Amino acid sequence: DRLGPRRLLSSMSVLCGISCLLFSSSTLLGMAQFSRFFMGFSGAFAFVGALKIAVLGFDSRTLGLLAGLTQGLGMLGAMLGLGVFAYVIALLGWRHTMLLIGVIILVIGLLIFCLIPKGSAFGFIGSFSGTSIMAKGASKSVSFLGSTGISFLGSTFFSVF
């Protein structure tokens, strides 16, 4: 909680993306194991980070739905990813596939950094549409829900990988 979801999720996304890049270029078993460890370590933060965004950015009545959607998308990604990545690996090879996954996760990390507000309090947030900054407790604007929703989906997508 001290770091906030912005720094934690974006840094873990970057670590996971770099680990994928290292894994794709590894020629030694030790390097592959090292990078695979950090892929798993950094990916472990995705689900909890998505829940933190759900708690901070959405109404408490929707927490169960958002937690279920996050878990469901993670399971769907595991189920569908097997077939999709088997095809992509057959087409590109496993090294280029891991390279592509690493680049995608780095982009997700950048998006998470840009879209999640600074700090752990979502009380004040600017909007993309240029409307005024909304205070916590005031009625939430569409831009607040949009930016928080995009951040939540980004961290959920990160948990799928």
Side-chain angles (χ1 to χ4, degrees):
D1 285 346
R2 190 174 67 194
L3 294 176
R6 178 184 189 206
R7 283 192 280 179
L8 188 64
L9 284 175
S10 61
S11 64
M12 288 298 118
S13 296
V14 168
L15 179 62
C16 188
I18 290 171
S19 298
C20 288
L21 298 178
L22 285 174
F23 187 78
S24 72
S25 64
S26 65
T27 56
L28 301 171
L29 179 62
M31 181 57 126
Q33 290 172 336
F34 175 79
S35 59
R36 184 61 188 105
F37 169 78
F38 280 105
M39 276 189 257
F41 175 78
S42 58
F45 289 84
F47 182 73
V48 176
L51 290 182
K52 182 70 174 179
I53 291 171
V55 166
L56 293 175
F58 291 94
D59 190 45
S60 63
R61 294 176 294 181
T62 61
L63 180 61
L65 173 68
L66 294 174
L69 283 173
T70 303
Q71 182 68 29
L73 284 174
M75 299 313 274
L76 184 67
M79 183 179 73
L80 296 177
L82 181 63
V84 171
F85 283 118
Y87 175 75
V88 174
I89 288 170
L91 188 66
L92 300 176
W94 73 268
R95 288 186 186 272
H96 287 94
T97 303
M98 285 304 296
L99 181 73
L100 179 65
I101 292 170
V103 169
I104 289 170
I105 293 175
L106 286 172
V107 170
I108 289 171
L110 179 67
L111 288 173
I112 288 172
F113 186 78
C114 292
L115 295 176
I116 294 178
K118 203 178 224 180
S120 62
F122 280 40
F124 291 95
I125 182 167
S127 67
F128 293 114
S129 62
T131 58
S132 63
I133 294 176
M134 303 295 292
K136 191 171 192 169
S139 63
K140 295 182 178 174
S141 66
V142 173
S143 62
F144 173 77
L145 292 176
S147 63
T148 306
I150 291 169
S151 302
F152 176 76
L153 288 175
S155 60
T156 300
F157 184 73
F158 174 57
S159 71
V160 170
F161 280 106

